[in-house]
Amino acid sequence: MLNYTIYRHNTADTWVTFVHGAGGSSSVWFKQLRAFKQHFNVLLLDLRGHGESKPDFDDTIIDAYTFDSLTNDIIEVIDFEKIEKSHFVGISLGTILIRNIAEKFPDRVQSMVLGGAVMNLNFRWKILMGVGKTFKSVVPHLWLYRMFFFAIMPYSNHKESRSILIKEAQKLYQNEFLRWFKLSSEVNPLLSFFRNKEVKIPTLYVMGGEDYLFLPAVKKLVQKSASASLLLIEHCGHVVNVEESQIFNNMVIGYVSDSH
Protein backbone atom coordinates (compact mmCIF):
# COMPACT_ATOMS: atom_id res chain seq x y z
CA MET A 1 0.00 0.00 0.00
CA LEU A 2 1.07 3.59 -0.60
CA ASN A 3 2.70 5.52 2.21
CA TYR A 4 0.21 8.03 3.58
CA THR A 5 -0.49 10.31 6.53
CA ILE A 6 -3.87 11.23 7.99
CA TYR A 7 -4.76 14.31 10.02
CA ARG A 8 -8.16 13.94 11.67
CA HIS A 9 -10.27 16.95 12.58
CA ASN A 10 -12.02 16.94 15.96
CA THR A 11 -15.47 17.74 14.58
CA ALA A 12 -15.46 17.90 10.76
CA ASP A 13 -16.49 14.85 8.72
CA THR A 14 -15.29 16.29 5.39
CA TRP A 15 -12.20 14.71 3.82
CA VAL A 16 -9.63 16.34 1.52
CA THR A 17 -7.16 14.07 -0.28
CA PHE A 18 -4.02 15.62 -1.80
CA VAL A 19 -2.38 14.05 -4.87
CA HIS A 20 1.05 15.30 -5.94
CA GLY A 21 2.64 15.12 -9.41
CA ALA A 22 5.43 13.11 -11.02
CA GLY A 23 8.78 13.61 -9.33
CA GLY A 24 7.21 15.12 -6.20
CA SER A 25 5.87 13.70 -2.95
CA SER A 26 3.30 14.56 -0.31
CA SER A 27 5.77 17.14 1.04
CA VAL A 28 4.91 19.51 -1.84
CA TRP A 29 1.74 20.34 0.14
CA PHE A 30 3.69 21.78 3.09
CA LYS A 31 2.14 25.22 2.52
CA GLN A 32 -1.38 23.76 2.59
CA LEU A 33 -1.32 21.37 5.53
CA ARG A 34 -1.65 23.82 8.42
CA ALA A 35 -4.54 25.73 6.85
CA PHE A 36 -6.50 22.73 5.60
CA LYS A 37 -6.31 20.60 8.72
CA GLN A 38 -7.99 23.44 10.65
CA HIS A 39 -11.13 22.84 8.58
CA PHE A 40 -11.10 19.25 7.28
CA ASN A 41 -9.82 15.73 7.71
CA VAL A 42 -6.70 15.56 5.53
CA LEU A 43 -5.14 12.63 3.67
CA LEU A 44 -1.64 13.07 2.24
CA LEU A 45 -0.16 10.25 0.18
CA ASP A 46 3.01 9.44 -1.74
CA LEU A 47 2.37 8.02 -5.20
CA ARG A 48 4.02 4.76 -6.19
CA GLY A 49 7.81 5.07 -6.21
CA HIS A 50 7.73 8.59 -4.71
CA GLY A 51 8.46 9.83 -1.20
CA GLU A 52 8.21 6.88 1.16
CA SER A 53 6.19 4.71 -1.27
CA LYS A 54 9.18 2.80 -2.53
CA PRO A 55 8.58 -0.02 -5.04
CA ASP A 56 8.85 -3.51 -3.59
CA PHE A 57 8.76 -5.45 -6.84
CA ASP A 58 11.31 -6.39 -9.50
CA ASP A 59 12.97 -3.27 -10.92
CA THR A 60 13.09 -4.88 -14.36
CA ILE A 61 9.30 -4.59 -14.81
CA ILE A 62 9.26 -1.18 -16.49
CA ASP A 63 5.80 -1.69 -18.03
CA ALA A 64 3.99 -2.19 -14.72
CA TYR A 65 2.59 1.36 -14.44
CA THR A 66 -0.72 2.44 -15.95
CA PHE A 67 -2.98 5.32 -14.98
CA ASP A 68 -5.56 2.80 -13.83
CA SER A 69 -3.09 0.98 -11.57
CA LEU A 70 -1.94 4.26 -10.02
CA THR A 71 -5.58 5.28 -9.55
CA ASN A 72 -6.30 1.98 -7.84
CA ASP A 73 -3.37 2.63 -5.46
CA ILE A 74 -5.19 5.73 -4.20
CA ILE A 75 -8.56 3.99 -3.94
CA GLU A 76 -6.90 1.20 -1.93
CA VAL A 77 -5.87 3.75 0.71
CA ILE A 78 -9.27 5.45 1.00
CA ASP A 79 -10.95 2.03 1.13
CA PHE A 80 -8.59 0.91 3.88
CA GLU A 81 -9.37 4.05 5.89
CA LYS A 82 -13.12 3.63 5.20
CA ILE A 83 -13.38 7.09 3.60
CA GLU A 84 -16.63 6.96 1.65
CA LYS A 85 -16.20 10.26 -0.20
CA SER A 86 -13.47 12.88 -0.42
CA HIS A 87 -12.66 16.15 -2.08
CA PHE A 88 -9.51 15.67 -4.17
CA VAL A 89 -6.85 18.35 -4.61
CA GLY A 90 -4.09 17.69 -7.15
CA ILE A 91 -1.16 19.36 -8.85
CA SER A 92 0.29 18.70 -12.31
CA LEU A 93 0.23 15.00 -13.23
CA GLY A 94 -1.73 14.33 -10.05
CA THR A 95 -4.68 16.08 -11.72
CA ILE A 96 -4.80 13.31 -14.35
CA LEU A 97 -5.07 10.70 -11.61
CA ILE A 98 -7.87 12.61 -9.89
CA ARG A 99 -9.74 12.98 -13.18
CA ASN A 100 -9.32 9.23 -13.67
CA ILE A 101 -10.72 8.55 -10.19
CA ALA A 102 -13.73 10.67 -11.15
CA GLU A 103 -14.15 8.52 -14.26
CA LYS A 104 -13.74 5.14 -12.58
CA PHE A 105 -15.13 5.89 -9.10
CA PRO A 106 -17.39 8.97 -9.40
CA ASP A 107 -19.30 8.13 -6.22
CA ARG A 108 -16.10 8.60 -4.17
CA VAL A 109 -15.44 12.17 -5.39
CA GLN A 110 -17.23 15.18 -3.87
CA SER A 111 -15.27 17.75 -5.85
CA MET A 112 -12.01 18.12 -7.76
CA VAL A 113 -9.50 20.95 -7.41
CA LEU A 114 -6.99 20.64 -10.26
CA GLY A 115 -3.95 22.89 -9.86
CA GLY A 116 -1.56 23.28 -12.79
CA ALA A 117 -3.92 20.87 -14.54
CA VAL A 118 -2.59 18.75 -17.40
CA MET A 119 -5.48 18.34 -19.86
CA ASN A 120 -3.61 18.52 -23.16
CA LEU A 121 0.01 18.26 -24.30
CA ASN A 122 0.89 20.88 -26.89
CA PHE A 123 3.62 20.95 -29.51
CA ARG A 124 6.23 22.34 -27.11
CA TRP A 125 5.59 19.48 -24.68
CA LYS A 126 5.91 16.93 -27.48
CA ILE A 127 9.31 18.38 -28.38
CA LEU A 128 10.35 18.05 -24.72
CA MET A 129 9.21 14.44 -24.63
CA GLY A 130 11.10 13.75 -27.85
CA VAL A 131 14.32 15.11 -26.36
CA GLY A 132 13.72 13.08 -23.20
CA LYS A 133 13.10 9.92 -25.19
CA THR A 134 16.35 10.40 -27.07
CA PHE A 135 18.50 10.90 -23.98
CA LYS A 136 16.67 9.02 -21.19
CA SER A 137 18.99 6.00 -21.35
CA VAL A 138 22.29 7.86 -21.66
CA VAL A 139 22.11 10.75 -19.17
CA PRO A 140 21.20 10.80 -15.45
CA HIS A 141 17.47 11.19 -14.97
CA LEU A 142 17.97 14.26 -12.78
CA TRP A 143 19.39 16.14 -15.79
CA LEU A 144 16.20 15.43 -17.70
CA TYR A 145 14.06 16.45 -14.75
CA ARG A 146 15.93 19.76 -14.54
CA MET A 147 15.32 20.31 -18.25
CA PHE A 148 11.59 19.59 -17.86
CA PHE A 149 11.25 21.80 -14.79
CA PHE A 150 13.03 24.74 -16.42
CA ALA A 151 10.91 24.38 -19.56
CA ILE A 152 7.66 24.26 -17.57
CA MET A 153 8.70 26.92 -15.01
CA PRO A 154 11.20 29.22 -16.74
CA TYR A 155 10.87 32.51 -14.83
CA SER A 156 12.65 33.78 -11.74
CA ASN A 157 9.44 33.77 -9.66
CA HIS A 158 9.18 30.01 -10.37
CA LYS A 159 12.51 29.33 -8.66
CA GLU A 160 11.08 28.01 -5.37
CA SER A 161 8.83 25.55 -7.20
CA ARG A 162 11.73 24.32 -9.35
CA SER A 163 13.98 23.88 -6.32
CA ILE A 164 11.38 21.88 -4.39
CA LEU A 165 10.68 19.54 -7.30
CA ILE A 166 14.36 19.05 -8.14
CA LYS A 167 15.04 18.19 -4.49
CA GLU A 168 12.22 15.60 -4.53
CA ALA A 169 13.32 14.21 -7.91
CA GLN A 170 16.77 13.47 -6.47
CA LYS A 171 15.12 10.76 -4.35
CA LEU A 172 13.79 8.85 -7.37
CA TYR A 173 15.62 5.82 -8.72
CA GLN A 174 16.56 5.77 -12.43
CA ASN A 175 14.20 2.86 -13.13
CA GLU A 176 11.39 4.67 -11.35
CA PHE A 177 11.97 7.69 -13.58
CA LEU A 178 11.79 5.46 -16.67
CA ARG A 179 8.43 4.05 -15.57
CA TRP A 180 6.91 7.49 -15.06
CA PHE A 181 8.49 8.85 -18.22
CA LYS A 182 6.93 6.04 -20.25
CA LEU A 183 3.58 6.71 -18.59
CA SER A 184 3.63 10.45 -19.30
CA SER A 185 4.66 9.91 -22.92
CA GLU A 186 1.56 7.77 -23.50
CA VAL A 187 -1.00 10.03 -21.83
CA ASN A 188 -2.48 11.78 -24.89
CA PRO A 189 -5.27 9.26 -25.66
CA LEU A 190 -6.46 9.45 -22.06
CA LEU A 191 -6.43 13.25 -22.06
CA SER A 192 -8.34 13.29 -25.35
CA PHE A 193 -10.99 11.07 -23.75
CA PHE A 194 -11.24 13.39 -20.72
CA ARG A 195 -11.60 16.50 -22.90
CA ASN A 196 -14.50 14.95 -24.76
CA LYS A 197 -16.40 13.52 -21.80
CA GLU A 198 -17.59 15.77 -19.01
CA VAL A 199 -18.17 14.40 -15.51
CA LYS A 200 -20.96 15.89 -13.39
CA ILE A 201 -18.65 16.62 -10.46
CA PRO A 202 -17.89 20.17 -9.26
CA THR A 203 -14.42 21.03 -10.56
CA LEU A 204 -12.19 24.02 -9.89
CA TYR A 205 -9.15 24.51 -12.10
CA VAL A 206 -6.46 26.64 -10.43
CA MET A 207 -3.98 27.83 -13.03
CA GLY A 208 -1.11 30.28 -13.15
CA GLY A 209 -1.21 32.96 -15.81
CA GLU A 210 2.36 31.98 -16.74
CA ASP A 211 1.58 28.25 -17.08
CA TYR A 212 1.92 28.59 -20.85
CA LEU A 213 2.23 24.87 -21.57
CA PHE A 214 -1.06 23.84 -19.98
CA LEU A 215 -3.28 26.92 -19.51
CA PRO A 216 -4.71 27.23 -23.07
CA ALA A 217 -6.27 23.76 -23.02
CA VAL A 218 -7.83 24.34 -19.59
CA LYS A 219 -9.38 27.62 -20.73
CA LYS A 220 -11.05 25.85 -23.66
CA LEU A 221 -12.26 23.04 -21.43
CA VAL A 222 -13.84 25.36 -18.86
CA GLN A 223 -15.65 27.36 -21.55
CA LYS A 224 -17.66 24.32 -22.64
CA SER A 225 -18.15 22.77 -19.19
CA ALA A 226 -21.23 23.26 -17.02
CA SER A 227 -19.62 21.89 -13.84
CA ALA A 228 -16.14 23.47 -14.02
CA SER A 229 -14.77 26.90 -13.17
CA LEU A 230 -11.34 28.50 -13.49
CA LEU A 231 -9.35 30.43 -10.90
CA LEU A 232 -6.57 32.19 -12.82
CA ILE A 233 -3.69 33.52 -10.72
CA GLU A 234 -1.70 36.10 -12.67
CA HIS A 235 2.11 36.30 -12.50
CA CYS A 236 2.21 32.70 -11.33
CA GLY A 237 3.60 29.57 -12.94
CA HIS A 238 2.73 25.88 -12.94
CA VAL A 239 2.99 24.97 -9.24
CA VAL A 240 0.29 27.32 -7.98
CA ASN A 241 0.04 25.84 -4.49
CA VAL A 242 3.68 26.76 -3.79
CA GLU A 243 4.02 30.08 -5.65
CA GLU A 244 0.77 31.63 -4.45
CA SER A 245 -0.08 29.49 -1.45
CA GLN A 246 -2.18 32.11 0.36
CA ILE A 247 -4.49 32.69 -2.60
CA PHE A 248 -4.61 28.96 -3.29
CA ASN A 249 -5.46 28.07 0.30
CA ASN A 250 -8.13 30.72 0.77
CA MET A 251 -9.90 30.01 -2.52
CA VAL A 252 -9.71 26.21 -2.33
CA ILE A 253 -10.84 26.04 1.32
CA GLY A 254 -13.80 28.22 0.38
CA TYR A 255 -14.57 26.09 -2.66
CA VAL A 256 -14.41 22.80 -0.75
CA SER A 257 -16.56 24.24 2.06
CA ASP A 258 -19.22 25.23 -0.48
CA SER A 259 -19.12 21.92 -2.39
CA HIS A 260 -21.08 19.71 -0.02
Side-chain angles (χ1 to χ4, degrees), residues 132-144:
K133 197 170 185 178
T134 301
F135 293 104
K136 69 181 184 342
S137 299
V138 294
V139 300
H141 69 278
L142 195 59
W143 292 11
L144 292 177

Side-chain angles (χ1 to χ4, degrees), residues 149 153 157-166 237-240 242-243:
F149 293 153
M153 300 167 277
N157 54 307
H158 308 163
K159 182 178 179 180
E160 183 183 10
S161 300
R162 286 197 306 267
S163 298
I164 290 169
L165 292 178
I166 288 170
H238 182 60
V239 190
V240 286
V242 171
E243 284 185 46

Side-chain angles (χ1 to χ4, degrees), residues 244-260:
E244 292 291 351
S245 59
Q246 198 65 51
I247 296 174
F248 183 92
N249 293 350
N250 291 341
M251 297 302 292
V252 174
I253 287 171
Y255 183 80
V256 169
S257 298
D258 293 340
S259 299
H260 289 312

Side-chain angles (χ1 to χ4, degrees), residues 80-143:
F80 183 78
E81 289 294 335
K82 297 180 172 56
I83 300 170
E84 292 185 15
K85 297 191 80 164
S86 177
H87 301 268
F88 286 84
V89 179
I91 192 73
S92 195
L93 188 131
T95 64
I96 303 177
L97 296 177
I98 292 174
R99 178 61 181 81
N100 203 39
I101 292 172
E103 193 63 43
K104 306 288 184 182
F105 307 94
D107 58 323
R108 313 302 294 273
V109 183
Q110 282 186 270
S111 75
M112 298 185 286
V113 177
L114 308 180
V118 179
M119 287 295 137
N120 194 13
L121 301 179
N122 65 15
F123 182 67
R124 287 173 173 174
W125 178 262
K126 289 170 185 174
I127 291 175
L128 273 177
M129 294 305 295
V131 172
K133 197 170 185 178
T134 301
F135 293 104
K136 69 181 184 342
S137 299
V138 294
V139 300
H141 69 278
L142 195 59
W143 292 11

